[in-house]
Amino acid sequence: MHLGSDPALIGYINRPRAAAPHTLANIEAVGVYTVNHIAPHFIDKAHQTSAKYEAGINEFAETGLTPLFREGIAAPFVQESKIQYVLKLVEIVPVKHNNTFLVIGAVTDAFIEPHALKPDGFLAIEETGSVASLGADAYYKAEKLKRLAYAKPGKPITVVK
């Protein structure tokens, strides 16, 4: 989820440590992590990465996804992904109600298919085939309905082309 623009902050909810102990431990140990957009041709493999693997098991090998290492970046990417970014860990916030965690990271690098990055910096994810997810098990096509200019009091709503 988008948490800020300057700096660019992205958050996600991590399951309780008992359900996914290695994800948070890896992020805390390395200090950086990657986010890789899912596309229709590898939904099944990406979904399988949510399984509770034992420590030391290589999820890339288990799921058939291809690891991609980039110079100077400690965490691997998913080669099949058309939008990939690196986040530096900013904060892990406990959500006491259900023992989950809001993991907040600052974007340090992004690797995007050139045609999806527009001259004004807008990222047209629908042009890469990225999918959206809902809950723990549903995936949907991402389709841009419209893009609106930054909202300001007393100003009319305008569509950005």
Side-chain angles (χ1 to χ4, degrees):
M1 73 188 91
H2 169 81
L3 295 175
S5 297
D6 190 13
L9 296 176
I10 296 175
Y12 82 92
I13 299 296
N14 197 90
R15 296 186 289 180
R17 284 192 190 263
H22 311 302
T23 302
L24 282 180
N26 288 340
I27 291 171
E28 289 168 323
V30 177
V32 298
Y33 55 101
T34 66
V35 170
N36 301 269
H37 281 215
I38 300 170
H41 69 280
F42 68 96
I43 288 173
D44 293 359
K45 292 176 180 181
H47 181 75
Q48 187 60 32
T49 66
S50 68
K52 202 185 301 187
Y53 290 102
E54 295 293 324
I57 299 295
N58 183 321
E59 290 182 19
F60 286 101
E62 289 293 314
T63 62
L65 291 169
T66 310
L68 172 65
F69 293 92
R70 297 184 189 274
E71 189 174 336
I73 300 171
F77 295 89
V78 175
Q79 183 172 310
E80 291 82 355
S81 179
K82 308 281 187 192
I83 298 176
Q84 309 161 336
Y85 36 95
V86 182
L87 295 112
K88 179 181 178 187
L89 178 61
V90 171
E91 186 175 3
I92 298 174
V93 182
V95 179
K96 294 175 185 159
H97 183 74
N98 63 355
N99 295 318
T100 60
F101 298 88
L102 170 60
V103 181
I104 302 170
V107 177
T108 62
D109 298 277
F111 303 93
I112 302 159
E113 287 193 335
H115 67 88
L117 187 58
K118 302 309 174 189
D120 67 353
F122 180 73
L123 178 56
I125 65 169
E126 73 281 0
E127 293 185 19
T128 66
S130 289
V131 300
S133 65
L134 177 64
D137 58 3
Y139 300 87
Y140 296 86
K141 290 181 181 179
E143 177 185 347
K144 182 177 83 173
L145 301 176
K146 66 171 67 173
R147 182 175 173 212
L148 301 175
Y150 190 84
K152 295 180 181 176
K155 299 286 183 177
I157 296 171
T158 57
V159 175
V160 178
K161 301 288 180 186

